[in-house]
Amino acid sequence: MSAVVSPIRKPLITGNKTYHQITEDLISPTEKTPTKAWIIGFIIAVAVATYGIFCIIWTIWVGIGSWNLNRTINWSWDITNFVWWIGIGHAGTLISAILLLFRQKWRTGVNRAAEAMTIFAVICAGLFPIIHMGRVWLAFFIMPYPNTRGPLWPNFNSPLLWDVFAISTYFTVSLLFWYTGLVPDFATVRDRAKGLRRKIYNTLSFGWTGSAKHWQRWESLSLILAGIATPLVLSVHTIVSFDFATSVIPGWHTTIFPPYFVAGAIFSGFAMVLTLMIITRKLLKLEDYITIEHIESMNKVILLTGTIVGVAYLTELFISWYSGYVYEQFAFFNRALGPYWWSYFGMMFCNVVSPQFFWKKSWRRNVTLTFFLSIVVNIGMWFERFVIIATTLARDYIPSSWSLYSPSWVEIGIYVGTMGIFFTLYLIFVRVAPVVAVAEIKHILKTGGNQYVGENAKSHTHHTNEH
Amino acid sequence: MANTQNTELIFGLYDDEEDLLRAVKSAKKDHLEIYDVYTPFPVHGLDEVMELEESRLHIAGFVYGAIGTLTAFLGMTWIFVKDWPTIFGGKPYWSVPAFIPITFEMTVLFAAIGMTVTFYLVSGLGPGIKNPQLDDRITDDKFCIAFDKSIVNSGDAESFFKNTGASEVNSKNI
């Protein structure tokens, strides 16, 4: 009755678990009193988030003049942060939807947390376009609704409005997908609980029973949501890149932007997933579920997308020279050797050079190196957006309008504050919901690794020779 | 499912999904009418042996998506051609390529919301709904087959559970 491990496939989760052990391992973090590390982390996150909210209120109270934007550089940290956060969000959808369609079963260990990360990142991202409007209380003007001003409609030909639709659709679909996945797991939490906790989780689990027909519909729904989320995630960052690509600003007006932005989004998103997962697996002791194999697989994605991003940077440089268009040439000369040269080289180093470490297998499997590089990648991707947005605007067509920009304390506060908001939400999430999808892990236990050692294992050892 | 009438169920719990699949197959062979099967996770092949009809959610999804497509495209067309024609950058009023991104997003939005809401409605699930639970371990590691006592007599059910290797047999009124 010993564990039969397939010689070809490595087990997706380690530690020879039974179904009950999986439930214990994955649900118990939501039942225990919070650890000291969690409490300290939560206090810091809430404090930072509070400061961020203070800076947002300050911006609304004092006005957008509390930011250091000027007439030349009218987008800077605000839109940089927006694109950065929305890019981070994309990895969650990639893991949960695209990897589901590609039948990459290893995704099961990380999809739940990655989807949660998507939702929290989109919340942070969505704050910036709303705040940067200045008069936040009129933000609903962007929605098309019959109004007493004509009715006056928004401009459906504008990529900025496409963005409104793309981001709100993306948020809604991600939320539905994530929550539908959580429903059966909330039922598992409910059935272990008593009293008030049981009532709360019964509400959260929507009265889930585990009926065969429900599971059939649930699987059908998950598959179709994955199918439509896949083109959706590609469209969202494509539309974000249209905000720039459809303008007439040299350095922005390029057809390479959509694929280049999507690759960059996946790149930074996977880096953030790794940052979070490495901390989460350590703190919640989930090393058997989020294994070194997961880290290695994600590092491969980082290597691939980082290299795509690198090729895109070089293509951009080549095309600007090859175009023979002097403004375009200047825009790139200015990016690399102008006043913000440090951000350009920061971007090149962090995004193009740093992922190349992952060609080496033992480095891909090195948790400390991965953690360090995942942060480097996210810094690099922030630089990329800053390079595209601020340095391009700083040197526009008329030299008399050239300007320089450095952020005010309010802008820095809002950016740092969104990290506080993000981590506050994430830390609440790891307390109330299973971070790893319990039902899905049980589903892949046998088909993936063939290492099931439940009491009845010997009665169906024939199973181990399939697949 | 939340039935108002009183149904008396007899149910057996299995420790493994392979045992469950074999048991469902033999119930089908013996023409024992299954009330429902409950599992902690989606068991591969269970809908086939239970002879469940394929879910029609994908058809619903297509219809919702098509409604979204039409709403967005016709809406924008009406607004920019009829209600308030405006020239942007010298382009025609009816500038179809510029409508495509929003049309796509609305298709996805309608399909996703429509399908999810339909899923919960037809399954009888939703916030605040309390469906009867046969056993707390069904969401953990037990696989359950339930018979309605008014259709299958207790003796037949008990011998069936014994023959198919159920680890526990219980009754419950729901």
Side-chain angles (χ1 to χ4, degrees), chain A residues 19-20 23 149-157 161-162 165-166 168-169 172-173 176 179-180 183-184 187-188 190-191 198 202-203 206-221 224-225 228 231-232 235-236 239 242 439 442-443 446 452 455-456 459-460 462-463, chain B residues 1 15-19 22 36-44 46-47 50 52-55 57-58 76 78-80 83-84 88 95 98-99 101-102 104-106 108-109 111-113 115-116 119-120 122-133 135-136 138-141 143:
Chain A
Y19 293 136
H20 182 66
T23 312
R149 305 185 299 278
L152 191 62
W153 301 101
N155 179 5
F156 296 108
N157 297 355
L161 190 70
W162 303 347
F165 279 87
S168 41
T169 302
T172 313
V173 175
L176 293 175
Y179 199 83
T180 302
V183 161
T188 308
R190 170 199 67 197
D191 291 347
R198 193 172 175 110
N202 186 56
T203 304
F206 286 7
W208 180 264
T209 57
S211 158
K213 188 66 194 170
H214 295 176
W215 277 121
Q216 186 203 30
R217 292 195 188 116
W218 182 88
E219 283 203 295
S220 169
L221 179 68
I224 301 166
L225 284 182
I228 59 177
L232 177 67
S235 85
V236 171
I239 291 173
F242 282 167
K442 288 175 186 165
H443 180 64
K446 287 188 191 175
Y452 183 70
E455 279 173 29
N456 294 22
S459 66
H460 44 71
H462 64 277
H463 205 80
Chain B
M1 289 284 182
D15 292 335
D16 194 276
E17 77 265 30
E18 299 291 330
D19 297 340
R22 269 195 294 269
D36 208 345
V37 175
Y38 303 93
T39 58
F41 58 85
V43 173
H44 185 70
L46 181 62
D47 45 351
M50 282 180 75
L52 291 179
E53 271 177 59
E54 199 195 337
S55 165
L57 262 180
H58 56 273
M76 285 186 286
W78 174 76
I79 287 167
F80 272 5
D83 190 55
W84 193 302
F88 295 104
S95 38
F99 295 168
I102 290 180
F104 172 76
E105 301 299 330
M106 292 291 276
V108 171
L109 185 67
I113 294 179
M115 267 195 317
T116 311
F119 165 70
Y120 289 119
V122 297
S123 302
L125 301 170
I129 289 178
K130 200 174 180 342
N131 286 324
Q133 285 291 120
D135 193 296
D136 278 351
I138 289 171
T139 54
D140 179 8
D141 62 348
F143 301 80

Side-chain angles (χ1 to χ4, degrees), chain A residues 163-449:
Chain A
D163 233 6
V164 172
F165 279 87
I167 305 292
S168 41
T169 302
Y170 184 50
F171 178 72
T172 313
V173 175
S174 307
L175 190 66
L176 293 175
F177 194 27
W178 179 65
Y179 199 83
T180 302
L182 267 169
V183 161
D185 290 355
F186 279 146
T188 308
V189 182
R190 170 199 67 197
D191 291 347
R192 289 162 58 88
K194 284 186 183 71
L196 179 66
R197 188 178 156 86
R198 193 172 175 110
K199 283 209 179 91
I200 294 170
Y201 277 98
N202 186 56
T203 304
L204 290 174
S205 68
F206 286 7
W208 180 264
T209 57
S211 158
K213 188 66 194 170
H214 295 176
W215 277 121
Q216 186 203 30
R217 292 195 188 116
W218 182 88
E219 283 203 295
S220 169
L221 179 68
S222 304
L223 191 64
I224 301 166
L225 284 182
I228 59 177
T230 301
L232 177 67
V233 68
L234 302 180
S235 85
V236 171
H237 226 64
T238 299
I239 291 173
V240 169
S241 81
F242 282 167
D243 292 347
F244 307 100
T246 59
S247 72
V248 289
I249 308 290
W252 288 5
H253 187 73
T254 52
T255 47
I256 201 177
F257 261 27
Y260 155 30
F261 268 53
V262 171
I266 296 166
F267 180 56
S268 66
F270 267 78
M272 187 58 108
V273 173
L274 278 170
T275 312
L276 287 179
M277 287 301 101
I278 288 171
I279 301 173
T280 309
R281 75 196 278 272
K282 183 94 190 148
L283 289 183
L284 301 184
K285 300 189 179 60
L286 297 174
E287 281 96 340
D288 284 335
Y289 299 91
I290 303 163
T291 62
I292 297 288
E293 302 295 327
H294 287 97
I295 292 172
E296 191 189 356
S297 299
M298 288 195 271
N299 278 335
K300 284 178 185 166
V301 177
I302 286 196
L303 174 61
L304 173 72
T305 49
T307 311
I308 293 174
V309 167
V311 171
Y313 293 161
L314 299 178
T315 311
E316 263 193 332
L317 273 182
F318 171 76
I319 293 294
S320 68
W321 165 77
Y322 188 66
S323 68
Y325 180 52
V326 65
Y327 293 100
E328 188 77 17
Q329 288 170 344
F330 175 74
F332 281 87
F333 178 79
N334 172 58
R335 275 186 194 175
L337 301 168
Y340 294 107
W341 62 271
W342 44 270
S343 61
Y344 189 80
F345 283 95
M347 161 188 108
M348 277 291 186
F349 176 78
C350 296
N351 295 349
V352 187
V353 179
S354 77
Q356 304 307 323
F357 286 106
F358 291 141
W359 285 104
K360 195 168 154 63
K361 189 178 171 106
S362 61
W363 288 356
R364 279 201 299 273
R365 299 173 74 89
N366 184 320
V367 180
T368 318
L369 179 75
T370 303
F371 185 72
F372 176 70
L373 285 183
S374 71
I375 290 168
V376 169
V377 165
N378 266 317
I379 294 171
M381 284 309 290
W382 191 89
F383 273 136
E384 181 201 292
R385 278 66 180 252
F386 183 77
V387 164
I388 292 172
I389 295 166
T391 74
T392 311
L393 289 174
R395 293 284 178 270
D396 69 355
Y397 289 104
I398 313 166
S400 62
S401 310
W402 285 2
S403 183
L404 278 176
Y405 165 88
S406 58
S408 73
W409 64 271
V410 185
E411 291 174 277
I412 298 170
I414 296 176
Y415 175 53
V416 176
T418 51
M419 289 196 216
I421 294 170
F422 178 81
F423 282 104
T424 304
L425 292 171
Y426 187 78
L427 287 170
I428 293 173
F429 159 71
V430 301
R431 286 293 309 156
V432 301
V435 214
V436 176
V438 182
E440 287 180 59
I441 283 286
K442 288 175 186 165
H443 180 64
I444 59 151
L445 183 62
K446 287 188 191 175
T447 53

Side-chain angles (χ1 to χ4, degrees), chain A residues 33-53:
Chain A
T33 36
T35 57
K36 209 178 234 171
W38 185 90
I39 294 171
I40 293 168
F42 190 69
I43 289 171
I44 295 171
V46 171
V48 174
T50 310
Y51 181 66
I53 291 164

